[in-house]
Amino acid sequence: MQIEYIGAVGIILGVLARFWPVWLALAVVLGTSFTYKKKLGLYGQLFDSGVGIAGVIICLFWLFTAIFASHVAPFDPLGQLPVMKDALPGAVEPASKGVYLFGGDKLARDIFSRMVFGSQIVLIIAPAATGFALMVGITLGLPAGYYGGKIDTVLSFLANLVLAFPVILLFYLLVTPGIMDTPIPYAMAGLFFLFPIIFFCVLFWTRYKKRPDRLYVLMGLTLLIGGWVYLGLVFDADPLKIVHIDPNQLNIFVAVVFASSPGVFRIVRGLTMDIKTRDYVAAAQTRGETPWYIMLWEILPNARGPLIVDACLRIGYTTILLGTLGYFGLGLAPESPDWGTAIKDASRLLRSFIHPALPPTIALMSFVLGLNLLADALREQSMKD
């Protein structure tokens, strides 16, 4: 069966047209952000520099791509049309007249659709895992830096023990398929996913313990929402069937949290040791504030700049790491549309067809670039503050 092709101009216009929900969302968000940037705090300050604007645009582009993936992608990312095997960019599918804008891969799947749906996997795992790693690192790093002594010695030893282990080998051990047959990933998930609940409970208790009307509401919401998410993530027992994570994604999630938490711990510990010597901390101690109040409401807000920058960079590192794991065929299912797996599948046929490797590679590179630009802009703003 003869396959028709559209030209380069048609491909470009087709890609731009498929992203129409993303362009619309970007226009609304950026227009609102520019209008009210003076009222948006640190986020609004990002629009004072070209680097910050570029970082925001790139990150928002992939965020909205992940959100509107089902509207942007013209085909099922796992769907196979045999006639489109190794089709070149711009190939027109004979039956539906749909266009494989970036061509087809060796299994006759639409490369453009797989790239679009691959953004969902990256933008779910990388930021969420980084957020949990921040919760673990902050919850342990604050008391280690503030109290010092034996608490600092024990926690620092454990952190250094994990950091001393080669990262790639650590991930290889934690994401091999056989480990899902053991209770190790679920036990680690059960431990790590407790930290956000503990963090917010202590946060609200130290702040509102003398205002029970507000305390009970916030504590109740924390336990309710936290318990709901906890049941869904750890036990896959969400009664509403909303919170769910596949076993292959769970072990990657846990591995990222386990490997990233010691780095966050060391940053928080160092910042705490520095900030606790400041005059406003001494003033809080003189007022009789409890240590946890001082850590959470005096020290942590003043450490937010470096932590936000580190979070952006860490999401980028995690994205690269997910791509590396996918390239080696670890963690996610072989048919997964994540960018690392797509690059691995395409790399085997580079001498014959180069077009399947370019879209996921450029997508991965651009998203990490956006995060690095965002981190640079945030670093500049934190230095001004």
Side-chain angles (χ1 to χ4, degrees):
M1 184 179 293
Q2 187 68 28
I3 298 178
E4 299 179 357
Y5 291 88
I6 63 174
V9 175
I11 294 174
I12 295 173
L13 294 177
V15 171
L16 294 175
R18 294 304 312 181
F19 279 110
W20 72 265
V22 177
W23 306 134
L24 180 60
L26 273 175
V28 172
V29 172
L30 293 177
T32 305
S33 299
F34 274 107
T35 303
Y36 299 103
K37 67 177 183 179
K38 293 183 179 180
K39 300 179 180 180
L40 295 175
L42 183 60
Y43 171 73
Q45 294 173 10
L46 293 174
F47 293 90
D48 293 332
S49 67
V51 173
I53 294 173
V56 170
I57 290 175
I58 295 173
C59 292
L60 286 179
F61 172 83
W62 286 114
L63 174 63
F64 292 134
T65 298
I67 293 173
F68 299 113
S70 59
H71 298 284
V72 175
F75 295 94
D76 180 354
L78 303 181
Q80 296 173 284
L81 299 172
V83 71
M84 304 300 285
K85 179 180 179 181
D86 295 325
L88 296 176
V92 180
E93 199 275 312
S96 66
K97 297 301 180 181
V99 181
Y100 272 33
L101 292 168
F102 291 162
D105 63 8
K106 65 178 183 178
L107 296 178
R109 299 169 299 191
D110 180 33
I111 295 171
F112 177 78
S113 298
R114 289 179 63 78
M115 180 200 72
V116 170
F117 275 95
S119 65
Q120 287 187 330
I121 297 174
V122 171
L123 269 78
I124 288 174
I125 295 179
T130 301
F132 276 93
L134 283 171
M135 291 289 98
V136 176
I138 289 172
T139 306
L140 298 179
L142 285 172
Y146 186 82
Y147 289 113
K150 294 182 179 180
I151 295 177
D152 183 24
T153 301
V154 172
L155 293 177
S156 295
F157 173 77
L158 295 175
N160 291 332
L161 194 64
V162 176
L163 290 171
F165 209 76
V167 175
I168 296 298
L169 183 57
L170 178 65
F171 271 89
Y172 181 82
L173 293 174
L174 290 175
V175 302
T176 49
I179 199 171
M180 294 309 298
D181 298 329
T182 71
I184 294 176
Y186 298 97
M188 294 175 67
L191 175 62
F192 291 144
F193 294 168
L194 279 175
F195 277 89
I197 300 175
I198 296 172
F199 175 84
F200 284 106
C201 284
V202 177
L203 182 75
F204 295 139
W205 170 260
T206 54
R207 182 72 172 185
Y208 300 110
K209 61 183 178 181
K210 295 182 180 178
R211 299 179 60 183
D213 55 331
R214 180 170 294 187
L215 175 65
Y216 294 151
V217 173
L218 293 173
M219 292 283 282
L221 289 174
T222 299
L223 294 174
L224 179 63
I225 297 174
W228 171 42
V229 175
Y230 187 87
L231 287 174
L233 294 179
V234 180
F235 301 105
D236 196 17
D238 176 19
L240 302 178
K241 305 299 181 183
I242 298 176
V243 180
H244 167 75
I245 185 169
D246 294 331
N248 286 331
Q249 293 182 0
L250 178 65
N251 61 349
I252 293 180
F253 199 97
V254 170
V256 171
V257 176
F258 182 71
S260 300
S261 298
V264 179
F265 166 85
R266 295 187 66 176
I267 293 174
V268 175
R269 172 182 174 272
L271 291 170
T272 303
M273 294 178 68
D274 175 49
I275 296 175
K276 73 177 184 179
T277 60
R278 306 290 175 83
D279 292 339
Y280 52 82
V281 174
Q285 293 171 337
T286 304
R287 294 197 308 267
E289 303 291 358
T290 62
W292 274 102
Y293 177 92
I294 295 173
M295 283 185 270
L296 292 173
W297 294 98
E298 298 289 347
I299 294 177
L300 185 58
N302 289 284
R304 68 185 185 277
L307 288 178
I308 293 174
V309 173
D310 177 74
C312 290
L313 294 174
R314 202 168 292 277
I315 293 173
Y317 299 151
T318 302
T319 302
I320 295 173
L321 190 56
L322 291 175
T324 303
L325 292 175
Y327 185 84
F328 288 115
L330 297 173
L332 297 173
E335 69 274 9
S336 170
D338 72 282
W339 296 334
T341 301
I343 295 171
K344 177 199 69 174
D345 292 341
S347 65
R348 298 173 179 175
L349 300 173
L350 281 179
R351 291 186 178 180
S352 302
F353 304 99
I354 193 174
H355 66 275
L358 294 179
T361 302
I362 294 173
L364 179 63
M365 178 187 69
S366 63
F367 180 57
V368 175
L369 173 64
L371 289 168
N372 288 338
L373 292 175
L374 198 61
D376 287 341
L378 289 169
R379 185 184 297 113
E380 292 179 5
Q381 294 300 328
S382 64
M383 292 176 64
K384 292 178 182 178
D385 294 340

